[in-house]
Amino acid sequence: MRDRNFLPKVVLASLLLVTPHLHAATWEYKSTDDPMTDEPIYEAVILSDNQVDVSFNRKATLSVITRFHPRNGWNIEFTIDNDQISCLGSCSVTIRLDNEKATNHSIEKVFNVKGYVYRVRNNAEKVAEGMFRAKKILVELEIFEQGAQLFRFETNTFDYGLFPHKPGEKEKR
């Protein structure tokens, strides 16, 4: 005998799979010590609320990594599953914070111990400051064989108690 509730269950399960997140993305914080200075390196990471198509039947989430290093200053890096950002050497990313005008930033492909990351080349401190205060972040990147793709971040309030170094703040030496 057939289960009369089978079809509604399948439809509900399908809707759950394609419905985007309805909650705010959460910043995750980490700090380690720089062995050369014994000063902390602060890192905050946030994952996009949505996934985009990167190839046949595959989707990817974008991570934004914001880091303050006592010797190297500010870094903003982007990573995506399976290194699908279409960038050879230097390219650009478009970022929109809340209802402000979208801005373009030059990024470069850099290899680190976790694989490739795409680092903002200029004004990383200013970008970090904007991201920390924004409630909504939009990031557009060129994805290999997919073209420009938009990643959304509905963010919660950034917690300076967990990331005490504020952009624009002068160094305490």
Side-chain angles (χ1 to χ4, degrees), residues 106-171:
S106 177
I107 59 175
E108 62 185 336
K109 187 174 186 176
V110 180
F111 188 76
N112 71 15
V113 294
K114 297 176 186 174
Y116 285 105
V117 297
Y118 299 84
R119 185 174 295 154
V120 173
R121 295 178 63 139
N122 300 314
N123 300 320
E125 184 172 6
K126 186 176 179 180
V127 175
E129 183 176 22
M131 286 184 162
F132 292 172
R133 69 174 158 65
K135 301 288 184 238
K136 179 174 75 172
I137 302 169
L138 301 176
V139 176
E140 186 178 70
L141 290 162
E142 290 288 325
I143 302 298
F144 182 70
E145 295 185 350
Q146 299 297 319
Q149 297 291 316
L150 185 67
F151 294 89
R152 292 178 176 81
F153 303 82
E154 296 290 335
T155 66
N156 58 350
T157 304
F158 190 83
D159 187 346
Y160 280 110
L162 297 172
F163 195 105
H165 192 85
K166 295 180 181 175
E169 189 176 76
K170 295 295 179 206
E171 295 305 306

Side-chain angles (χ1 to χ4, degrees), residues 6-25:
F6 175 75
L7 188 55
K9 288 177 187 173
V10 170
V11 170
L12 179 60
S14 298
L15 285 173
L16 290 173
L17 289 173
V18 298
T19 303
H21 299 290
L22 299 176
H23 64 280

Side-chain angles (χ1 to χ4, degrees), residues 13-107:
S14 298
L15 285 173
L16 290 173
L17 289 173
V18 298
T19 303
H21 299 290
L22 299 176
H23 64 280
T26 303
W27 286 98
E28 295 180 18
Y29 308 91
K30 179 175 98 172
S31 71
T32 56
D33 285 335
D34 175 20
M36 298 302 285
T37 64
D38 293 327
E39 293 181 42
I41 300 168
Y42 297 106
E43 187 173 283
V45 179
I46 192 167
L47 301 175
S48 63
D49 290 326
N50 66 317
Q51 295 182 323
V52 300
D53 292 323
V54 291
S55 63
F56 184 71
N57 285 337
R58 291 185 36 216
K59 295 191 176 289
T61 303
L62 184 71
S63 299
V64 177
I65 303 155
T66 305
R67 182 179 304 109
F68 177 78
H69 190 286
R71 290 180 293 136
N72 303 327
W74 288 91
N75 281 326
I76 304 290
E77 297 174 342
F78 301 96
T79 62
I80 191 168
D81 306 330
N82 303 310
D83 187 34
Q84 295 293 315
I85 297 173
S86 185
C87 180
L88 299 172
S90 182
C91 50
S92 68
V93 59
T94 303
I95 300 171
R96 184 171 187 200
L97 306 170
D98 294 325
N99 292 323
E100 295 176 8
K101 183 180 175 187
T103 55
N104 290 319
H105 302 274
S106 177
I107 59 175

